[in-house]
Amino acid sequence: MIKEMVCIVCPMGCHLKIDTESLNVTGNTCPRGPVYAKEELTAPKRVITSTVRIVGGVHNRLPVKTDMSIPKELNFECMKLLNNIEVKSPIKHGEIIIENILGTGANIVACRDM
Ligand code: SF4
C-alpha cells in the first residue's frame, strides 16, 4: 500500500509517497524526507508547544515547548501535565521548566523571558 504524507521537516513541504511494505519513499527533495516518512509510519514524534501558568509575569501564561520531539502518543499526557504546572517569574528564555518529561529525554523549556 502507498501512503501519502507531507514532509514537515522544512518549509518546502514535499509531498511524499511511502510504500508501507518496502518503506521505499518518493517525492522527497532531500534525504531527510525518507527519514521523516519512515519515522512517521513506524514511530511518529512531535515537538509539543503549549503554555504554563506563571505568577508575577507580564502575562499569566508562559509559552513553552519540548526541546526535542517526543512520541506522538504521549502528547495528551504531556499537555495534561503542563496544565497543572505553575512557575514563578522571572524565567529566562530556554530555562528548563520540566526535565526529562515523561521519561522521554526531552525537556520542557521556556520560549521567552518573563
Ligand atoms: S524532503 Fe527535504 S526538502 Fe522536502 S520538505 Fe522534507 S526536509 Fe524539506
Side-chain angles (χ1 to χ4, degrees), residues 7-14 16 27-34:
C7 181
I8 59 171
V9 176
C10 90
M12 283 271 290
C14 295
L16 307 176
N28 55 297
T29 303
C30 81
R32 291 179 295 171

Side-chain angles (χ1 to χ4, degrees), residues 1 5 10 15 21 24 31 43 46 48 50 54 56-57 61 83 90:
M1 183 175 114
M5 62 182 77
C10 90
H15 289 259
E21 283 155 30
N24 185 45
R46 291 290 182 276
I48 304 292
S50 186
I54 184 166
R61 304 291 299 183
N83 213 23

Side-chain angles (χ1 to χ4, degrees), residues 8 18-21 27 30 34 36 41 43 45-46 49-50 53 80 84 88 93 102-103 110 113:
I8 59 171
I18 182 166
D19 184 318
T20 56
E21 283 155 30
C30 81
Y36 167 77
L41 196 67
K45 292 181 176 171
R46 291 290 182 276
T49 58
S50 186
R53 272 192 307 275
K80 257 176 40 184
N84 293 319
K88 285 192 174 97
H93 183 202
L102 300 171
D113 292 345

Side-chain angles (χ1 to χ4, degrees), residues 4-110:
E4 295 187 24
M5 62 182 77
V6 174
C7 181
I8 59 171
V9 176
C10 90
M12 283 271 290
C14 295
H15 289 259
L16 307 176
K17 288 185 181 172
I18 182 166
D19 184 318
T20 56
E21 283 155 30
S22 69
L23 298 183
N24 185 45
V25 177
T26 57
N28 55 297
T29 303
C30 81
R32 291 179 295 171
V35 172
Y36 167 77
K38 287 171 194 168
E39 185 177 276
E40 187 63 12
L41 196 67
T42 56
K45 292 181 176 171
R46 291 290 182 276
V47 169
I48 304 292
T49 58
S50 186
T51 60
V52 296
R53 272 192 307 275
I54 184 166
V55 176
V58 289
H59 302 293
N60 58 12
R61 304 291 299 183
L62 172 74
V64 297
K65 69 178 191 74
T66 53
D67 59 2
M68 57 191 269
S69 51
I70 67 169
K72 196 176 171 184
E73 72 263 19
L74 295 177
N75 286 9
F76 185 69
E77 205 174 333
C78 182
M79 296 301 271
K80 257 176 40 184
L81 257 173
L82 294 177
N83 213 23
N84 293 319
I85 294 291
E86 182 175 275
V87 295
K88 285 192 174 97
S89 180
I91 296 280
K92 286 281 177 205
H93 183 202
E95 192 172 325
I96 294 176
I97 306 298
I98 305 175
E99 200 171 330
N100 188 23
I101 188 153
L102 300 171
T104 57
N107 301 313
I108 298 291
V109 296

